[in-house]
Amino acid sequence: MMDTPLEAIHPWLEDETPAGALAGIEGLDLGEKLKSSDEAITFMSSIEPAELLKCVFPDSLVTVSEGGRDLGQFSVTVEFARRVQKPCLLLHAQSQGAIDDSPCGTTVTAYITTDLEVLEEDYHEYVKLKGHSLDKRCHMVQHNGQMVIDKVTTVGEEAAKESVSYPMSELRGLVTEGSNFLLMRLIALRKKAPEHMTFLSFDQGLHIIHTTFSELGLKQLEVGGKTMEVFGLERIVHSVEDSPTTWQCYFLADGHLASRVQVGSPITMRLLQLPSQPEKAGFETIPLVWEEDMQMRSKFLDRKEELKADHASYLRQHPDIRALISDFLQFLLLRKPDDVFQSLLGRKSTAQVQ
């Protein structure tokens, strides 16, 4: 029916296989509880507020065929927000295009904490064909210590609903379709992916599966007529119902996505122009919201108390300082000079003569 696969237009889509198919992860015991690796948990806990500030920017790429034909557009935006009275990041990713002139697209909106924990996420995918349409919607949200997931798949006029929930205690190191984009920006900015980084994720059947990230190293890539050095990452997404899917992404030094491709697909997402200066200048306004960041505010208060204690200690060790300050203030209040600085210099000169 279609020459171009749906995932060609929105490359984070993982194809759903027929019910009962079980290619799966090699040697996986379905009764076994999967866990993230220690390296993955350590990476998440090591994220600093300053790193997150560098991740708040938009990305905009085009999706092209192997022959260079424009198939659609892809964008990702990250900004600071609040959700359930918690400071967090709001990520919005969107892909739009056409398959054989039939509209299709995917949208992901996620609220993510500063340590990459997903508070809530919406996923919507659609393709509209003549006489046939597909619509998938998935919503996940934390509620009473559980991650509650509801999925609705509509094919034509028929809708199928699925619901599942998992204890948050079993989802340490969870990476979703939304948080995946933020995680890769952080790794790209560090220019190093620790070995054995294995996270948890969900497949199309809402099963808990593993997803891994590894380095591809540096290479040269042409962007906007210039040859740039880019850093590569490979993400492998496993599945209970299908064989693993592999994505390869390359990033500029500032974390902007330069290219993204699913291994084996003739479709590539490319950055056509280097980020403009006005876009970079927008970073300067981000620190103004530091008061809403829990970690940054905590560090500010700790430093404030540390300085107050240090200053109080110095004053106790030098009681003559208080006498000097009191004497100078009394002098100013009595004389009421227009130029305080010149009065101070004059008083100092008089004291030296005496």
Side-chain angles (χ1 to χ4, degrees):
M1 183 182 297
M2 297 181 296
D3 296 328
T4 307
L6 183 58
E7 62 269 23
I9 301 299
H10 31 90
W12 65 76
L13 173 63
E14 297 148 24
D15 235 356
E16 189 171 11
T17 56
L22 190 61
I25 304 169
E26 267 188 51
L28 175 64
D29 176 1
L30 295 182
E32 173 190 358
K33 288 185 179 180
L34 298 183
K35 294 182 179 180
S36 299
S37 65
D38 292 339
E39 292 81 2
I41 299 298
T42 299
F43 184 93
M44 282 187 160
S45 63
S46 71
I47 298 169
E48 296 289 340
E51 292 181 287
L52 292 174
L53 289 175
K54 296 178 181 179
C55 291
V56 181
F57 57 80
D59 265 332
S60 182
L61 291 81
V62 296
T63 306
V64 296
S65 67
E66 196 170 23
R69 186 165 63 93
D70 190 342
L71 298 176
Q73 297 180 333
F74 170 76
S75 65
V76 181
T77 61
V78 178
E79 58 188 270
F80 287 108
R82 295 186 71 85
R83 193 67 170 175
V84 197
Q85 303 304 313
K86 291 183 179 180
C88 63
L89 294 107
L90 170 60
L91 183 143
H92 183 76
Q94 185 174 38
S95 179
Q96 293 180 327
I99 300 175
D100 295 339
D101 298 323
S102 299
C104 63
T106 302
T107 301
V108 180
T109 302
Y111 290 90
I112 307 166
T113 68
T114 53
D115 55 0
L116 297 195
E117 184 177 292
V118 175
L119 297 173
E120 185 172 1
E121 180 171 307
D122 276 303
Y123 176 94
H124 179 214
E125 168 201 341
Y126 70 89
V127 58
K128 298 178 180 179
L129 302 172
K130 293 180 180 179
H132 181 82
S133 63
L134 169 68
D135 188 279
K136 294 182 182 179
R137 296 178 183 270
C138 186
H139 176 257
M140 65 178 71
V141 62
Q142 286 194 37
H143 181 68
N144 292 335
Q146 300 271 324
M147 181 65 82
V148 181
I149 309 173
D150 294 303
K151 180 180 178 182
V152 179
T153 303
T154 304
V155 180
E157 300 297 326
E158 296 184 7
K161 299 181 180 180
E162 302 173 70
S163 295
V164 66
S165 64
Y166 295 99
M168 289 303 299
S169 58
E170 296 180 6
L171 298 178
R172 289 192 66 201
L174 174 68
V175 173
T176 64
E177 291 302 321
S179 63
N180 154 65
F181 291 111
L182 186 55
L183 173 63
M184 287 198 294
R185 282 188 181 182
L186 288 163
I187 298 174
L189 286 168
R190 291 188 183 185
K191 296 181 176 61
K192 183 172 180 60
E195 294 183 357
H196 314 300
M197 280 225 300
T198 301
F199 298 86
L200 297 182
S201 192
F202 299 118
D203 65 7
Q204 288 285 320
L206 305 184
H207 306 105
I208 297 177
I209 47 91
H210 274 151
T211 181
T212 59
F213 294 82
S214 57
E215 285 185 32
L216 292 174
L218 299 173
K219 77 171 187 177
Q220 302 295 313
L221 187 70
E222 186 174 326
V223 180
K226 295 183 179 180
T227 301
M228 308 295 295
E229 185 176 76
V230 291
F231 174 79
L233 281 174
E234 182 173 81
R235 179 194 182 199
I236 300 178
V237 183
H238 297 278
S239 175
V240 171
E241 299 177 338
D242 201 359
S243 56
T245 305
T246 303
W247 306 99
Q248 293 183 345
C249 304
Y250 285 88
F251 296 83
L252 298 175
D254 59 5
H256 280 275
L257 183 62
S259 74
R260 192 166 192 256
V261 64
Q262 178 185 349
V263 174
S265 169
I267 307 304
T268 303
M269 305 177 71
R270 295 176 183 171
L271 178 65
L272 295 184
Q273 297 293 331
L274 291 172
S276 61
Q277 288 300 320
E279 180 179 306
K280 293 182 178 181
F283 293 168
E284 297 175 4
T285 62
I286 294 169
L288 296 177
V289 298
W290 67 268
E291 297 94 337
E292 297 182 2
D293 186 289
M294 190 178 300
Q295 292 186 30
M296 294 183 71
R297 181 168 178 77
S298 176
K299 287 189 176 184
F300 166 76
L301 293 175
D302 289 344
R303 180 58 177 160
K304 179 180 177 181
E305 293 303 316
E306 180 184 334
L307 287 173
K308 286 173 63 176
D310 181 62
H311 295 164
S313 175
Y314 182 78
L315 289 174
R316 285 195 299 270
Q317 294 173 17
H318 300 83
D320 51 321
I321 292 178
R322 294 185 182 277
L324 287 172
I325 293 175
S326 177
D327 180 55
F328 181 60
L329 284 175
Q330 186 178 22
F331 168 79
L332 292 177
L333 293 173
L334 288 173
R335 299 292 181 88
K336 297 182 177 61
D338 293 329
D339 192 330
V340 175
F341 182 70
Q342 286 297 329
S343 297
L344 175 61
L345 292 178
R347 193 156 190 258
K348 181 179 179 181
S349 300
T350 303
Q352 288 176 342
V353 171
Q354 293 176 348

